[in-house]
């Protein structure tokens, strides 16, 4: 009695990379949604946030609505990326701490950033990605 096993590594690799791309889009949405929540609940500026403040301030209060994330991932030979950004010019003032009292609301030491990073990494769990790729091979 013989057993024949057909292994389709190329097909599995393609399905796996598709699964990674889809989860990257979802992770980008997690980041965008959590950032919007933080901005919606922060103080308004001017004035700039006080010296040493851990509270990021935004200027008009509509920055949380302006954030967008891409609906597809961009894949190169070595990377998979998703874009998250805003079209408001004053967002740069908040991102870069250049003056007295200005606060970087994307600082990795902030609790919301650490929590969001953990949520995004859970989306990119290897077992989850392999299971998704295998499931898509069956169809």
């Amino acid at each position: 009695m013989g057993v024949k096993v057909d292994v389709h590594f190329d097909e599995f690799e393609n399905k796996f990379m598709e699964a990674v791309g889809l989860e990257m889009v979802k992770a980008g949405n997690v980041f965008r949604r959590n950032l919007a929540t933080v901005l919606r609940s922060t103080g308004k500026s001017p004035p700039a946030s006080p010296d040493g403040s851990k509270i990021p301030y935004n200027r008009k209060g509509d920055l949380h609505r302006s954030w967008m994330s891409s609906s597809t991932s961009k894949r190169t030979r070595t990377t998979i990326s998703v874009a998250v950004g805003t079209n408001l010019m004053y967002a740069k003032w908040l991102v870069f701490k250049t003056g007295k009292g200005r606060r970087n609301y994307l600082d990795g030491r902030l609790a919301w950033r650490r929590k969001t990073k953990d949520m995004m990494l859970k989306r990119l769990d290897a077992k989850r990605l392999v299971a998704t790729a295998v499931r898509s091979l069956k169809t």
Side-chain angles (χ1 to χ4, degrees):
M1 180 170 153
V3 176
K4 182 179 177 185
V5 177
D6 288 330
V7 181
H8 302 280
F9 287 116
D10 290 339
E11 188 178 352
F12 174 77
E13 181 181 12
N14 286 336
K15 296 294 185 181
F16 182 79
M17 295 307 277
E18 285 176 20
V20 171
L22 289 172
E23 291 301 321
M24 286 287 292
V25 169
K26 292 175 183 177
N29 286 329
V30 165
F31 181 79
R32 180 194 50 78
R33 185 180 61 243
N34 288 0
L35 177 61
T37 301
V38 166
L39 291 172
R40 190 172 41 252
S41 62
T42 60
K44 305 298 181 257
S45 180
S49 55
D51 283 337
S53 171
K54 296 292 185 192
I55 302 172
Y57 280 65
N58 59 69
R59 193 170 184 183
K60 297 181 198 172
D62 59 357
L63 183 60
H64 70 277
R65 290 189 298 268
S66 71
W67 288 89
M68 301 162 279
S69 58
S70 57
S71 59
T72 58
S73 59
K74 181 179 178 184
R75 187 170 134 187
T76 66
R77 197 169 65 83
T78 57
T79 62
I80 298 176
S81 60
V82 175
V84 177
T86 181
N87 60 354
L88 293 180
M89 297 304 289
Y90 73 88
K92 182 178 179 181
W93 294 354
L94 298 172
V95 172
F96 300 106
K97 185 177 181 181
T98 57
K100 184 177 179 183
R102 293 220 175 138
R103 179 77 182 125
N104 178 354
Y105 65 94
L106 294 177
D107 190 339
R109 295 173 292 180
L110 295 172
W112 82 268
R113 275 289 309 271
R114 291 192 310 269
K115 179 182 173 188
T116 300
K117 182 179 177 181
D118 290 342
M119 292 171 71
M120 293 168 66
L121 289 174
K122 283 180 184 175
R123 294 227 59 101
L124 298 171
D125 178 58
K127 287 181 183 178
R128 177 188 191 133
L129 295 170
V130 169
T132 303
V134 169
R135 210 173 18 255
S136 64
L137 282 173
K138 293 179 182 178
T139 59

